[in-house]
């Protein structure tokens, strides 16, 4: 039988070992989406495609969607459907010219209905400049529905499910396809709303020992704080926000000095150790949200050289404002000295 691209096709394999064949012709090179729908036995149902170059796909499972984008030359093709275990049953599919699919605009909410819910929907994605992106779902019918970004040859570059925000991923400038795959054999319709965000990086300068505040106002937004030093310097990151969904990293002329440290994990343990900056030059402290994190944050990067002298054997009354902040003190000592810290009391919380 001859098929028309884009048409929804339903059929059946009536006899064991029977292969049902369809033919079509491409007038020009085409990227084709093989969209397999409901079937009576997807575990053993397969499809194959042959054309001018020979076999383009052989015995691919109906319930596997990750390899369903094919870059094909012009010519006549044969698409065949068969059960691999001598069973019989029904099937549904369509072949879609990806060039006829809608364009997905980054940073714009997209609403999608899959009918039936097991179908797939492809979008054309144009990236004029290289950048980082994050997928953010607003609503979904089926958490297990998948999405993927594929290149012009159909190779999957990034994938996830429709119910979860992703960590940032990079795309070079170029043309891509964004495909939403409905769950295998799902009946009814699938309703989705999602957005593909292009990550915004806010660049600012940073002054040591000065409070810094910012706000994540869009999914994936990053902050890049830069500063420079001329002589070796020791610094300490002082988190002023109890945020487990924000992390920070520090890079400089010698590479990465700290990475992937949460704001609420910065004030204790090994992550609270001072950082030695030995090389003169430019440094970058970046604040990175995790998933769909949003909202305000604040911190300081303290220069240990600015620590106030702490006289020994004198009682000190110390007020931290805000209470989550740190204070630095310096001590003069000789080799072999032993010290004891005597804490008389802590009011309004706990201290490390």
């Amino acid at each position: 039988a001859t098929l028309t691209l884009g048409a929804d096709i339903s059929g059946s394999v009536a006899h064991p070992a029977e292969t049902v064949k369809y033919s079509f012709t491409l007038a020009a090179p085409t990227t084709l989406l093989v969209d397999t729908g409901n079937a009576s036995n997807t575990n053993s149902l397969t499809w194959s495609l042959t054309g001018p170059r020979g076999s383009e796909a052989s015995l691919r499972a109906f319930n596997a969607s990750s390899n369903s984008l094919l870059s094909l030359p012009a010519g006549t093709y044969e698409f065949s459907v068969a059960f691999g275990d001598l069973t019989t049953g029904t099937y549904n599919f369509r072949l879609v010219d990806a060039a006829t699919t809608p364009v997905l605009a980054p940073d714009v909410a997209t609403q999608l209905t899959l009918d039936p819910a097991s179908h797939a929907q492809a979008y054309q994605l144009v990236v004029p400049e290289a950048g980082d992106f994050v997928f953010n779902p607003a609503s979904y019918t089926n958490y297990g529905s998948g999405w993927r970004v594929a290149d012009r040859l159909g190779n999957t570059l990034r994938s996830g499910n429709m119910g979860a925000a992703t960590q940032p991923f990079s795309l070079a400038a170029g043309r891509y396809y964004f495909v939403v795959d409905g769950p295998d054999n799902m009946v009814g319709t699938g309703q989705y709303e999602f957005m593909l965000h292009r990550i915004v990086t806010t660049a600012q300068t940073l002054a040591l020992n000065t409070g810094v505040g910012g706000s994540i106002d869009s999914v994936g937004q990053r902050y890049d704080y830069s500063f420079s030093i001329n002589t070796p310097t020791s610094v300490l990151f002082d988190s002023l926000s109890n945020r487990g969904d924000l992390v920070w990293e520090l890079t400089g002329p010698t590479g990465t000095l700290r990475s992937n440290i949460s704001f609420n994990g910065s004030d204790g343990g090994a992550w609270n150790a001072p950082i030695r900056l030995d090389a003169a030059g430019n440094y970058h402290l970046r604040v990175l949200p995790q998933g769909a994190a949003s909202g305000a944050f604040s911190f300081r990067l303290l220069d240990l050289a600015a620590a106030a002298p702490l006289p020994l054997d004198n009682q000190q009354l110390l007020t931290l404002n805000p209470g989550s902040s740190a204070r630095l003190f310096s001590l003069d000592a000789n080799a072999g000295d032993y010290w004891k810290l005597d804490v008389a009391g802590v009011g309004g919380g706990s201290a490390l």
Side-chain angles (χ1 to χ4, degrees), residues 189-277:
T189 61
Q191 305 286 339
Y192 304 91
E193 183 174 347
F194 62 91
M195 190 180 296
L196 187 66
H197 285 281
R198 186 182 185 96
I199 292 177
V200 175
T201 298
T202 302
Q204 296 181 358
T205 57
L206 182 151
L208 298 182
N209 303 316
T210 301
V212 177
S215 179
I216 307 298
D217 297 322
S218 62
V219 174
Q221 181 183 3
R222 301 170 174 177
Y223 279 79
D224 185 345
Y225 297 96
S226 60
F227 64 97
S228 60
I229 60 172
N230 298 318
T231 59
T233 304
S234 293
V235 296
L236 180 74
F237 183 87
D238 179 21
S239 172
L240 303 178
S241 299
N242 185 22
R243 298 287 302 268
D245 55 357
L246 297 180
V247 301
W248 61 274
E249 66 179 21
L250 180 63
T251 61
T254 60
T256 300
L257 301 168
R258 292 286 192 276
S259 66
N260 200 37
I261 304 175
S262 66
F263 268 58
N264 65 356
S266 300
D267 290 340
W271 304 126
N272 194 229
I275 308 168
R276 180 72 175 176
L277 311 180

Side-chain angles (χ1 to χ4, degrees), residues 11-36:
S12 64
V13 176
H15 307 287
E18 179 185 6
T19 298
V20 181
K21 299 179 180 180
Y22 299 86
S23 63
F24 63 95
T25 299
L26 299 178
T30 303
T31 297
L32 199 68
L33 171 68
V34 180
D35 179 16
T36 54

Side-chain angles (χ1 to χ4, degrees), residues 3-172:
L3 64 78
T4 301
L5 296 186
D8 195 73
I9 297 174
S10 295
S12 64
V13 176
H15 307 287
E18 179 185 6
T19 298
V20 181
K21 299 179 180 180
Y22 299 86
S23 63
F24 63 95
T25 299
L26 299 178
T30 303
T31 297
L32 199 68
L33 171 68
V34 180
D35 179 16
T36 54
N38 291 327
S40 55
N41 185 5
T42 56
N43 290 328
S44 61
L45 185 62
T46 63
W47 61 270
S48 301
L49 181 66
T50 58
R53 297 185 299 201
S55 176
E56 297 286 352
S58 179
L59 302 178
R60 293 191 179 180
F62 251 60
N63 59 3
S65 59
S66 61
N67 54 6
S68 61
L69 271 174
L70 303 172
S71 181
L72 304 173
T76 299
Y77 290 82
E78 183 178 81
F79 184 88
S80 59
V81 179
F83 283 95
D85 58 358
L86 302 182
T87 59
T88 60
T90 60
Y91 57 83
N92 171 264
F93 72 91
R94 59 178 180 161
L95 305 184
V96 180
D97 180 355
T100 65
T101 60
V103 174
L104 180 68
D107 300 312
V108 176
T110 298
Q111 295 179 336
L112 169 65
T113 298
L114 294 181
D115 185 11
S118 58
H119 264 338
Q121 175 64 56
Y123 296 88
Q124 301 175 71
L125 174 62
V126 179
V127 179
E129 297 180 356
D132 294 330
F133 295 82
V134 64
F135 174 80
N136 184 40
S139 63
Y140 51 90
T141 301
N142 302 299
Y143 180 89
S145 300
W147 64 267
R148 51 196 162 104
V149 175
D151 62 18
R152 303 295 288 178
L153 298 178
N155 301 308
T156 297
L157 306 177
R158 183 76 180 195
S159 62
N161 68 62
M162 293 297 292
T166 65
Q167 294 303 310
F169 58 93
S170 299
L171 292 176

